[in-house]
Amino acid sequence: MIAFYRIFWIPNLFVIPLLTMRSIAEERRMGTLETMMTTPVRPFQLVVSKFISAYFTYSAFWALTLFFPLFTEMIVPSTSLGIELMTPFVLFGCMLFILLSGACFVSIGILSSSLTRSQLVAGMLTFTGVFIVIISGRLLAEMPLSSISFVYEWVSIVDYMQTFEHYEMFSRGILDLRPFVYYISSTIGLLTLASYVVEQKR
Amino acid sequence: MKSLNKFDEFRLARKLSFFNRFVQVVLLVTLIIGVNLFAIKFTVRWDITQDRSNSLSPETVAHFQQISDDFSIFVAVNDKLQLPGGRYVMQDIEPMFDQYLHVANRLGMDDFHLEYINIYRDREKVLQLKESFEFDQENVILVSSNTRRRAIPINELYQKNSETGELEFRGEQVVTAAILEVSDPVEKRIYLTVGHGEMSLDDADPQHGLSELSTYFNYRNIELASIDLSRYDSVPDWVDVLVIASPQAEFSDEDVEKLRFYLEKTNGSIILFLEPFRQHNLDDLLYDWGILCEDSIIIDPGLDFQTSSGNLILRRFAEHPITQSLVDNKLYVYSNRPRPVRLDPSAPRIAGVQRTALLGTSDTSWIETGFREEKIPSFTFGRDVAGPITLGVLSERRSAESLGLKLKGGKFIVYGDSSILSNNLFGFYGNRVLISNSFNWCLQRNHLLSIPPNRIKNYRLTISEADLGTLLIALLLLPIGVAVFGLIIRVIRR
């Protein structure tokens, strides 16, 4: 299960842009955003509602993957299984990470969608943003930053934002407060920025 | 018409609005950074596994609380290093050190430094560490505190479970022991007696020298020095362990009494290495501790138990912490010409004294008593004793064990061969492990033996082709079902 969820970044890179690219961009293109702003709906409420719908769909997609270990345990004869396939803490940790990091990625998509009228541009911005968040940490970790004295302090920041390290931790059953704070604060920050953008452009 | 207030002018209003928004964004970002910094400083962690395998043991945490010195750990291990079976070593090492970091942060140990070194990329750093640690192996973990240091080879982190045969990871035990070793303010000293023709620490002779032994233990923060017992009324208190390495002449009665007092009254530790054909005048002391050391030699003609140079290969070990790692890792001890050292059946039973036969020879060996008469030794029924023969015995006194307390008691280890210490044979890994474990056992560097190792879980599904086919179909049902559902929705919406 750990190996299966370790490739979370591949579907996320494509699903999240597809889920979020038309959320606000389409509203602006169709002209319905201005109409909505005349109602007693605040920009932040609009952004949060878009976020919740995209996040709910994202969560539903990932929740379906829980059927894979369930089917395997039902079909494979119990004598062949030397261990519990559905180890509770592994499944819980993996899903918790998927949901937590997904909130941050979806908020990146919402922000990207609020910046432009074009769905395509919004999709590309989201893809780039999610790619930077997930992959750049790993790439920077591979570089010999510690040998460069003036960037030595940045190594700890890079380590803090490493998404793969967060996944490894959660999948082993360690729930650390730092990824929680990182992802939740990033989500709130990005959604707040998106609401500023929406308010600015009305 | 009333002129507009400056602040009502459109341009200024826009600028003010922009400035307002800019300040809000800056404050928001600052708040997020501040919250994250706070989380880094005061982080909390929950281990939700059933066996809490991702947390350090309470003993390790308790020992950490006692450490006041700063220490550093350098992990110079190849990322691609794998165990047999394909598991990467870093899969075990990284989570373990993550726990150490977390505990150190929680306890406010700002002087704890952990660094991963890529041995191919960080060449300068590797060369620096090689110089200061004087190690010549790849894939080691280096622990240092002030001037003391310890290098842990990767193979020390793993052991085979003697019951199940499964590989276990004992990294926490080994690393914590190393940390305690280097940060222990009290330096451990082992003294070797002189004055009876014993082997010397300064001697580089292959057969009789102990220079290799001295160098080896210096790297492990154990100082070896010589002591002449005739200059003291008794064995001094600052002697942690006394080693008698192959005495060629007899001990005086006064010296024997000093040894007896040291063992029985001050609960000291003695490790005695004897050679055949040498009188030592320690028979009474050995008898009191239930050990019989005969003046004969052990012969083992078995082809599996002899090297080409005539050394004996010892493969039989006790289930005891001193020899357990030899059993687990299937190591051998090489011996040149041992004499038997056995549990004395006629010795009086002394309350609290426990004796253990540590190592022995094979079934094809025997005690040759007629070595002076026979040119070619052969087994003689009725005179020689058939194997297996013990050549290492531990006799220790345990006090207050019935009260559940483990207090220091006297320890007396006797080996019937001194060549295992010599420069010639000390280089063999099994010999080093045996000697090292004997010394550490006497120094009581075994306080972490209660930290259980982590079982390495390897998962393997064994299923038939039919089951595999059924499984594949079942797994494909879900994505196909979702795709069909999507198509239905599309058709309905049209």
Side-chain angles (χ1 to χ4, degrees):
Chain A
M1 292 310 301
I2 297 176
F4 171 74
Y5 284 109
R6 195 175 278 131
I7 56 165
F8 71 94
W9 58 280
I10 297 175
N12 276 357
L13 278 176
F14 300 101
V15 167
I16 288 176
L18 290 171
L19 276 179
T20 59
M21 64 189 191
R22 60 173 287 171
S23 52
I24 298 178
E26 183 71 4
E27 300 272 0
R28 183 174 285 127
R29 191 181 71 82
M30 302 265 292
T32 51
L33 184 65
E34 287 77 15
T35 312
M36 220 182 307
M37 288 293 109
T38 61
T39 63
V41 172
R42 289 184 174 173
F44 191 71
Q45 290 171 332
L46 171 68
V47 165
V48 168
S49 63
K50 295 291 186 186
F51 168 79
I52 288 173
S53 62
Y55 185 67
F56 180 77
T57 312
Y58 168 86
S59 306
F61 285 155
W62 278 106
L64 288 175
T65 61
L66 287 172
F67 284 103
F68 289 138
L70 192 63
F71 285 156
T72 308
E73 186 139 327
M74 282 165 60
I75 289 165
V76 174
S78 59
T79 49
S80 299
L81 284 175
I83 42 87
E84 281 180 41
L85 188 66
M86 303 247 291
T87 317
F89 71 85
V90 170
L91 283 174
F92 178 74
C94 291
M95 286 311 298
L96 187 61
F97 169 80
I98 294 290
L99 296 176
L100 195 61
S101 60
C104 179
F105 302 148
V106 170
S107 62
I108 291 174
I110 298 295
L111 175 62
S112 304
S113 183
S114 68
L115 290 172
T116 175
R117 289 172 183 265
S118 165
Q119 290 183 45
L120 194 57
V121 172
M124 287 195 296
L125 278 175
T126 307
F127 181 92
T128 308
V130 174
F131 185 91
I132 288 171
V133 169
I134 296 178
I135 307 295
S136 62
R138 171 59 68 92
L139 291 176
L140 283 170
E142 295 293 326
M143 296 170 71
L145 294 176
S146 57
S147 59
I148 307 169
S149 58
F150 70 90
V151 295
Y152 185 73
E153 291 303 317
W154 293 89
V155 171
S156 55
I157 297 172
V158 168
D159 286 342
Y160 178 75
M161 298 195 311
Q162 277 239 46
T163 308
F164 287 103
E165 292 295 323
H166 299 157
Y167 172 75
E168 293 298 332
M169 217 188 302
F170 276 68
S171 62
R172 284 199 315 266
I174 300 174
L175 305 184
D176 194 311
L177 183 64
R178 288 169 295 180
F180 279 93
V181 170
Y182 170 63
Y183 288 116
I184 293 174
S185 63
S186 302
T187 303
I188 294 172
L190 289 165
L191 290 178
T192 309
L193 286 175
S195 70
Y196 288 162
V197 171
V198 168
E199 194 170 358
Q200 189 76 19
K201 291 195 186 273
R202 67 172 170 173
Chain B
M1 195 169 73
K2 200 177 174 182
S3 61
L4 283 172
N5 190 336
K6 203 171 177 62
F7 290 99
D8 293 335
E9 285 179 22
F10 181 67
R11 262 193 217 161
L12 189 59
R14 268 190 67 180
K15 283 180 185 169
L16 277 176
S17 171
F18 176 78
F19 178 73
N20 184 32
R21 195 64 76 208
F22 177 75
V23 169
Q24 285 181 2
V25 169
V26 168
L27 286 175
L28 176 68
V29 171
T30 310
L31 177 65
I32 289 172
I33 291 172
V35 165
N36 281 278
L37 285 174
F38 187 81
I40 292 170
K41 189 81 178 160
F42 300 104
T43 191
V44 179
R45 182 181 274 207
W46 299 276
D47 183 355
I48 60 173
T49 55
Q50 284 170 329
D51 53 1
R52 295 185 56 81
S53 54
N54 290 312
S55 300
L56 292 181
S57 65
E59 286 151 280
T60 301
V61 176
H63 284 299
F64 255 58
Q65 286 168 336
Q66 308 296 325
I67 294 173
S68 53
D69 288 343
D70 52 336
F71 60 94
S72 306
I73 299 179
F74 301 95
V75 184
V77 176
N78 186 353
D79 286 347
K80 304 283 181 264
L81 183 64
Q82 288 177 290
L83 298 171
R87 185 182 176 88
Y88 288 99
V89 166
M90 289 303 268
Q91 270 181 271
D92 297 317
I93 291 178
E94 273 183 336
M96 176 184 70
F97 281 118
D98 189 45
Q99 296 169 48
Y100 276 99
L101 256 183
H102 172 69
V103 168
N105 286 337
R106 191 160 55 88
L107 296 175
M109 295 171 73
D110 297 324
D111 296 324
F112 173 64
H113 175 76
L114 172 68
E115 193 175 335
Y116 289 93
I117 296 169
N118 187 311
I119 58 175
Y120 300 111
R121 205 174 53 209
D122 306 322
R123 293 302 297 170
E124 273 182 35
K125 191 81 188 188
V126 169
L127 289 170
Q128 257 175 36
L129 290 173
K130 267 193 172 178
E131 244 180 66
S132 40
F133 282 81
E134 298 174 30
F135 70 94
D136 56 0
Q137 296 167 284
E138 280 188 81
N139 298 317
V140 289
I141 295 170
L142 307 165
V143 182
S144 81
S145 174
N146 299 323
T147 56
R148 308 177 81 189
R149 59 211 187 281
R150 169 90 154 88
I152 307 171
I154 290 301
N155 57 359
E156 278 189 29
L157 302 181
Y158 294 92
Q159 70 180 20
K160 267 222 174 106
N161 188 305
S162 51
E163 287 172 9
T164 61
E166 287 178 344
L167 204 59
E168 291 175 332
F169 180 67
R170 53 192 286 262
E172 184 187 340
Q173 180 178 346
V174 172
V175 169
T176 307
I179 291 171
L180 290 176
E181 266 181 49
V182 300
S183 52
D184 190 352
V186 176
E187 210 168 73
K188 301 293 182 185
R189 284 192 179 151
I190 296 179
Y191 285 87
L192 281 75
T193 58
V194 295
H196 311 91
E198 291 96 332
M199 296 164 89
S200 169
L201 290 169
D202 302 321
D203 192 353
D205 183 80
Q207 308 294 334
H208 302 291
L210 298 179
S211 55
E212 290 280 332
L213 181 87
S214 178
T215 310
Y216 179 82
F217 282 102
N218 275 339
Y219 287 158
R220 278 145 183 83
N221 307 302
I222 298 175
E223 194 181 320
L224 299 185
S226 302
I227 184 169
D228 184 354
L229 288 179
S230 62
R231 298 166 77 178
Y232 302 92
D233 294 332
S234 62
V235 179
D237 293 337
W238 33 262
V239 173
D240 292 312
V241 177
L242 193 67
V243 174
I244 305 171
S246 180
Q248 305 294 304
E250 289 186 4
F251 277 75
S252 64
D253 293 338
E254 292 82 10
D255 283 347
V256 173
E257 284 311 303
K258 290 174 195 171
L259 297 176
R260 188 192 305 282
F261 188 86
Y262 175 65
L263 276 174
E264 292 174 8
K265 303 299 179 195
T266 63
N267 294 323
S269 301
I270 294 179
I271 308 178
L272 172 62
F273 295 89
L274 294 174
E275 258 186 41
F277 319 134
R278 301 290 176 196
Q279 301 303 316
H280 42 72
N281 195 28
L282 295 171
D283 295 302
D284 288 342
L285 181 64
L286 291 169
Y287 177 78
D288 288 344
W289 283 78
I291 301 171
L292 173 65
C293 183
E294 296 151 280
D295 190 16
S296 46
I297 57 171
I298 301 174
I299 304 290
D300 194 343
L303 292 173
D304 288 339
F305 302 100
Q306 268 197 44
T307 65
S308 53
S309 49
N311 290 320
L312 290 193
I313 303 174
L314 305 173
R315 302 169 195 254
R316 197 185 291 263
F317 305 106
E319 301 266 336
H320 187 275
I322 290 177
T323 45
Q324 190 63 48
S325 52
L326 295 166
V327 173
D328 293 339
N329 295 301
K330 292 188 172 55
L331 297 172
Y332 314 135
V333 169
Y334 294 89
S335 170
N336 190 359
R337 195 174 52 172
R339 65 190 289 179
V341 175
R342 303 187 283 166
L343 305 178
D344 193 342
S346 62
R349 283 183 69 88
I350 304 172
V353 172
Q354 188 166 348
R355 300 173 299 164
T356 310
L358 291 174
L359 70 165
T361 55
S362 71
D363 296 338
T364 55
S365 62
W366 71 86
I367 299 175
E368 178 59 52
T369 53
F371 54 86
R372 289 188 176 90
E373 294 96 32
E374 296 174 3
K375 282 188 182 171
I376 300 170
S378 60
F379 181 76
T380 309
F381 281 103
R383 188 187 66 181
D384 298 333
V385 178
I389 309 296
T390 306
L391 57 96
V393 169
L394 160 70
S395 181
E396 55 177 334
R397 174 174 289 131
R398 293 184 180 182
S399 46
E401 212 170 60
S402 57
L403 301 174
L405 302 170
K406 274 191 182 170
L407 299 178
K408 186 171 177 272
K411 294 185 174 86
F412 195 11
I413 303 178
V414 183
Y415 290 112
D417 184 26
S418 57
S419 66
I420 54 178
L421 272 176
S422 66
N423 291 335
N424 196 22
L425 294 185
F426 185 71
F428 289 105
Y429 189 60
N431 289 35
R432 266 188 282 150
V433 168
L434 177 67
I435 303 302
S436 179
N437 287 352
S438 304
F439 282 22
N440 284 327
W441 176 258
C442 291
L443 288 169
Q444 290 193 296
R445 279 185 168 184
N446 53 2
H447 46 266
L448 298 173
L449 290 174
S450 56
I451 296 179
N454 284 341
R455 194 169 68 90
I456 292 175
K457 297 167 190 162
N458 283 318
Y459 303 113
R460 184 172 290 178
L461 283 178
T462 308
I463 53 177
S464 64
E465 265 195 52
D467 285 335
L468 183 63
T470 313
L471 181 63
L472 279 173
I473 292 169
L475 292 178
L476 283 173
L477 269 178
L478 193 61
I480 292 172
V482 170
V484 166
F485 181 72
L487 279 171
I488 292 170
I489 297 294
R490 184 171 171 82
V491 166
I492 291 171
R493 287 185 68 177
R494 267 194 182 169

